[in-house]
């Protein structure tokens, strides 16, 4: 039985149900069962998929988790954040969403119960947690151990007072919010994604450091739920990795929601307030000095790998500040030990961890003498930022193609010429698809739209299937849908094939038919 029970504030029934599933206080670790095909360290997405997939194929698997099954995604990432975003969208629709449809609501009469919205999130998270529960994975035939894992040697892992022997081990211990080097940060109590979702009262003012995906998503959500939001970013604008045209649209959306952006931020300093609550931040943005007090400060800059306690040095597994070093087969510098997920990958997404786990299963269980191994670089990886509108991307950006010396042509379809988007009043955005110059080979795509994360999958499928942009024009889309924008981009490409020479041939042929 676990000696140190875990609690998550607020300690209500929903969080108690969550813990009962993902770290039950009465769980007794099983007796190790001989030599395991795989010992998986970490029960986030990468670890869960590796363990379940391997066990389903008949492998003997041990799964070790020191904290909460489900990892960041379930507990402090995708699941709770999307629950809050859904509440924020509903609040926004109630306050301002109906005006263009002739539905008049006095915004002053719209009451937002932040505590109820957070309770809804906790309830739904607890329900979803059954899929990642200790019981479910034990029922799959996996030996689940709760406790800190430490390598003893290249065939042994210790957990609690037991030792597990393995043919291969997989490190899936993930990453956590990093503490950036900001003067005064260590003097204040600040939020990260790991405790943000424990809030039960809406902050009157919240400062957010970092305008990446997490920072932008939460800035918009908290603004719509009633907070005054200050968003601080060191670079110009927001979402610096994304297509500039795309990030500009989301920036305008955040501004419309009342988010105050302090970009190109320099000389950022933090301090305690005179009252001792919240934080005081000073920063220079575009030459103007700001001195602001906030009730809470959310830091959403950077991730640090969870390597503490693993004793990686004992088994020759090399790592750097960003994480464990792996090759394209996800093999570490110890050939018996692999890694997957945030601990070792640049793509820090749940779906990336999922598909990396599938590579690990193939390479550890079904590769013979190096043959049949799969590569991480073979994946076509989409991702999405869940602001409103959403930004989704797959493949190369234009700058990346330029840096690689690839000549490209880009086709863009604005959503303001797509009937469904017009009818729904969701015309801010576009579909942009980049192809290799002189061909219809799709190299990358960016979509800005209400459901861009869903729309991008069609282009990802086309890229996986080596399907060209011209072929997308022949895919029949139901009318009216926003996905028609993708077909319209395909039409744009096909029109370029109608050269002057081809036109002359067509005209000659048609004249003969008269």
């Amino acid at each position: 039985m676990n000696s140190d029970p875990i609690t998550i504030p607020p300690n209500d029934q929903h969080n108690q149900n969550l813990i009962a599933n993902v770290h039950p206080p009465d769980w007794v670790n099983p007796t190790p069962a001989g030599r395991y095909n795989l010992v998986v360290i970490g029960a986030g997405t990468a670890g869960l998929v590796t363990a379940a997939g391997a066990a389903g194929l008949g492998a003997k698997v041990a799964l070790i988790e020191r904290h909460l099954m489900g990892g960041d995604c379930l507990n402090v990432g995708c699941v709770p954040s999307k629950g809050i975003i859904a509440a924020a969208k509903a609040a926004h629709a109630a306050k301002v969403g109906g005006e263009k449809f002739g539905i008049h609501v006095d915004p002053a009469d719209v009451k937002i119960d932040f505590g109820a919205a957070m309770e809804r999130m906790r309830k739904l998270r607890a329900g979803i947690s059954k899929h990642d529960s200790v019981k479910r994975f034990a029922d799959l035939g996996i030996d689940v151990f709760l406790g800190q894992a430490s390598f003893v040697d290249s065939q042994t892992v210790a957990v609690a007072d037991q030792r597990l022997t393995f043919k291969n081990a997989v490190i899936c211990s993930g990453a956590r919010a990093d503490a950036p080097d900001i003067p005064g940060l260590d003097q204040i109590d600040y939020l990260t994604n790991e405790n943000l979702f424990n809030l039960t009262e809406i902050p009157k003012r919240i400062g957010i450091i970092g305008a990446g995906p997490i920072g932008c998503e939460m800035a918009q959500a908290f603004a719509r739920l009633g907070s005054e939001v200050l968003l601080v970013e060191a670079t110009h604008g927001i979402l610096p990795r994304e297509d500039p045209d795309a990030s500009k649209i989301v920036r305008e959306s955040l501004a419309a929601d009342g988010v105050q952006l302090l970009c190109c931020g320099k000389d950022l300093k933090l301090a305690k307030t005179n009252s001792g609550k919240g934080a005081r931040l000073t920063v220079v943005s575009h030459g103007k000095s700001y001195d602001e007090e906030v009730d809470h400060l959310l830091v959403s800059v950077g991730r640090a790998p969870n390597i503490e306690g693993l004793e990686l040095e004992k088994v020759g597994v090399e790592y750097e500040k960003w994480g464990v070093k792996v090759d394209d087969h996800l093999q570490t510098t110890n050939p018996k030990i692999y890694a997957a997920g945030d601990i070792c990958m640049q793509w820090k997404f749940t779906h990336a961890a999922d598909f990396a786990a599938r590579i690990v299963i193939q390479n550890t269980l079904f590769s013979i003498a190096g043959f049949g191994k799969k590569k991480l670089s073979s994946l076509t990886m989409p991702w999405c930022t869940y602001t409103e509108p959403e930004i989704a991307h797959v493949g190369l950006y234009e700058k990346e193609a330029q840096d690689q010396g690839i000549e490209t042509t880009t086709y863009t379809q604005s959503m303001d010429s797509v009937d469904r988007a017009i009818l729904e009043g969701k015309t801010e955005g576009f579909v942009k698809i980049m192809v290799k110059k002189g061909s219809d080979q799709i190299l990358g795509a960016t979509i800005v739209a209400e459901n861009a994360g869903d729309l991008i999958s069609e282009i990802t499928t086309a890229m996986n299937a080596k399907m060209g942009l011209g072929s997308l024009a022949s895919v029949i889309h139901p009318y009216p849908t926003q996905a028609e924008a993708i077909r319209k981009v395909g039409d744009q490409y096909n029109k370029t094939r109608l050269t002057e020479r081809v036109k002359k041939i067509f005209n000659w042929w048609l004249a003969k038919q008269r």
Side-chain angles (χ1 to χ4, degrees):
M1 187 177 296
N2 296 306
S3 57
D4 299 316
I6 291 175
T7 59
I8 302 172
N11 190 28
D12 62 2
Q13 188 60 54
H14 306 308
N15 278 344
Q16 290 173 24
N17 292 342
L18 173 69
I19 292 168
N21 285 327
V22 299
H23 198 114
D26 58 351
W27 180 255
V28 177
N29 287 338
T31 300
R35 189 183 188 213
Y36 292 96
N37 296 103
L38 286 180
V39 168
V40 182
I41 300 172
T45 299
L48 294 177
V49 174
T50 300
L57 293 167
K60 187 60 181 173
V61 180
L63 176 62
I64 304 172
E65 173 54 54
R66 69 179 181 181
H67 191 46
L68 302 177
M69 298 271 285
D72 270 19
C73 180
L74 170 68
N75 298 290
V76 295
C78 311
V79 170
S81 67
K82 302 313 168 282
I84 298 307
I85 289 171
K89 283 186 176 181
H92 179 70
K95 288 189 291 185
V96 301
E99 286 296 323
K100 54 188 157 188
F101 300 103
I103 301 169
H104 305 290
V105 177
D106 185 351
D109 289 337
V110 177
K111 302 295 188 294
I112 299 173
D113 188 337
F114 181 79
M118 295 298 279
E119 182 181 7
R120 171 187 179 273
M121 176 274 291
R122 295 194 300 274
K123 179 180 179 180
L124 297 178
R125 179 176 60 180
I128 292 171
S129 71
K130 295 176 183 177
H131 303 297
D132 297 346
S133 67
V134 170
K135 181 181 184 304
R136 175 174 178 252
F137 279 77
D139 288 346
L140 292 174
I142 298 165
D143 286 350
V144 180
F145 295 83
L146 298 181
Q148 172 65 53
S150 300
F151 283 102
V152 177
D153 54 44
S154 291
Q155 61 181 7
T156 311
V157 169
V159 55
D161 57 352
Q162 297 173 304
R163 294 194 172 195
L164 318 180
T165 60
F166 60 81
K167 180 179 180 182
N168 290 112
V170 189
I171 303 170
C172 303
S173 51
R176 63 185 182 278
D178 197 8
D181 186 17
I182 302 174
L185 182 63
D186 58 347
Q187 302 299 313
I188 63 173
D189 293 327
Y190 61 92
L191 299 170
T192 69
N193 68 296
E194 294 173 11
N195 56 3
L196 174 68
F197 304 110
N198 298 343
L199 293 178
T200 56
E201 295 181 2
I202 185 73
K204 183 178 179 181
R205 301 190 89 210
I206 184 169
I208 299 178
I209 308 298
I214 296 174
C216 288
E217 288 176 2
M218 292 300 99
Q220 186 175 54
F222 273 79
R224 290 180 166 188
L225 290 169
S227 289
E228 183 181 343
V229 180
L230 301 175
L231 179 59
V232 182
E233 169 59 39
T235 63
H236 182 69
I238 64 171
L239 301 168
R241 184 177 180 182
E242 293 296 344
D243 179 290
D245 294 333
S247 59
K248 180 177 182 291
I249 292 173
V250 173
R251 177 180 175 177
E252 291 171 350
S253 180
L254 265 61
D257 287 322
V259 175
Q260 182 180 1
L261 174 63
L262 303 178
C263 65
C264 299
K266 301 182 183 301
D267 300 323
L268 174 62
K269 296 182 180 63
L270 302 169
K272 290 183 178 179
T273 62
N274 292 333
S275 66
K277 298 179 181 180
R280 177 183 175 187
L281 65 88
T282 57
V283 66
V284 176
S285 173
H286 290 280
K288 182 178 178 180
S289 296
Y290 293 84
D291 187 341
E292 305 284 349
E293 289 191 7
V294 293
D295 301 305
H296 283 289
L297 183 74
L298 170 64
V299 177
S300 59
V301 181
R303 305 285 289 167
N306 292 323
I307 57 175
E308 294 78 12
L310 293 178
E311 304 286 356
L312 298 181
E313 296 84 358
K314 288 185 178 180
V315 288
V317 172
E318 296 179 10
Y319 59 90
E320 296 183 4
K321 183 178 180 180
W322 51 264
V324 169
K325 296 171 66 175
V326 293
D327 63 15
D328 203 17
H329 304 293
L330 293 174
Q331 193 171 37
T332 71
T333 48
N334 183 322
K336 291 187 176 181
I337 302 174
Y338 288 70
D342 288 5
I343 188 67
C344 65
M345 292 162 50
Q346 180 182 4
W347 294 324
K348 299 191 186 303
F349 314 121
T350 295
H351 51 281
D354 181 328
F355 277 78
R358 298 165 193 241
I359 290 174
V360 167
I361 293 170
Q362 170 69 29
N363 293 350
T364 55
L365 300 182
F366 300 108
S367 172
I368 301 175
F371 293 100
K373 280 193 171 184
K374 292 187 175 181
K375 295 181 178 182
L376 186 67
S377 60
S378 68
L379 298 180
T380 302
M381 187 62 61
W383 57 82
C384 183
T385 297
Y386 297 91
T387 49
E388 189 173 12
E390 297 176 354
I391 296 180
H393 181 83
V394 65
L396 297 176
Y397 292 98
E398 290 183 21
K399 187 178 186 307
E400 290 176 325
Q402 291 171 3
D403 292 343
Q404 295 179 30
I406 303 173
E407 294 188 47
T408 64
T409 303
T410 299
Y411 300 91
T412 303
Q413 174 62 54
S414 174
M415 298 304 290
D416 63 12
S417 296
V418 178
D419 290 355
R420 181 63 179 272
I422 294 170
L423 294 168
E424 294 186 341
K426 302 290 185 180
T427 55
E428 301 84 2
F430 56 78
V431 173
K432 181 182 290 189
I433 300 178
M434 180 178 69
V435 299
K436 188 173 182 180
K437 187 174 181 179
S439 77
D440 71 343
Q441 179 188 347
I442 301 173
L443 299 177
T446 296
I447 299 178
V448 184
E450 183 179 15
N451 295 304
D454 295 310
L455 298 178
I456 200 70
S457 294
E458 181 175 349
I459 301 174
T460 306
T461 300
M463 293 176 70
N464 267 342
K466 310 298 183 187
M467 182 178 174
L469 178 55
S471 298
L472 282 178
S474 66
V475 176
I476 302 173
H477 292 72
Y479 176 87
T481 59
Q482 292 200 12
E484 269 197 301
I486 297 172
R487 193 261 304 158
K488 286 175 176 284
V489 177
D491 287 342
Q492 287 184 33
Y493 168 77
N494 280 340
K495 288 177 182 177
T496 67
R497 300 169 66 186
L498 192 61
T499 63
E500 288 302 318
R501 182 171 181 271
V502 172
K503 287 180 181 178
K504 288 179 180 178
I505 294 172
F506 280 174
N507 289 337
W508 171 80
W509 176 254
L510 292 172
K512 288 191 65 173
Q513 309 308 310
R514 296 192 190 111

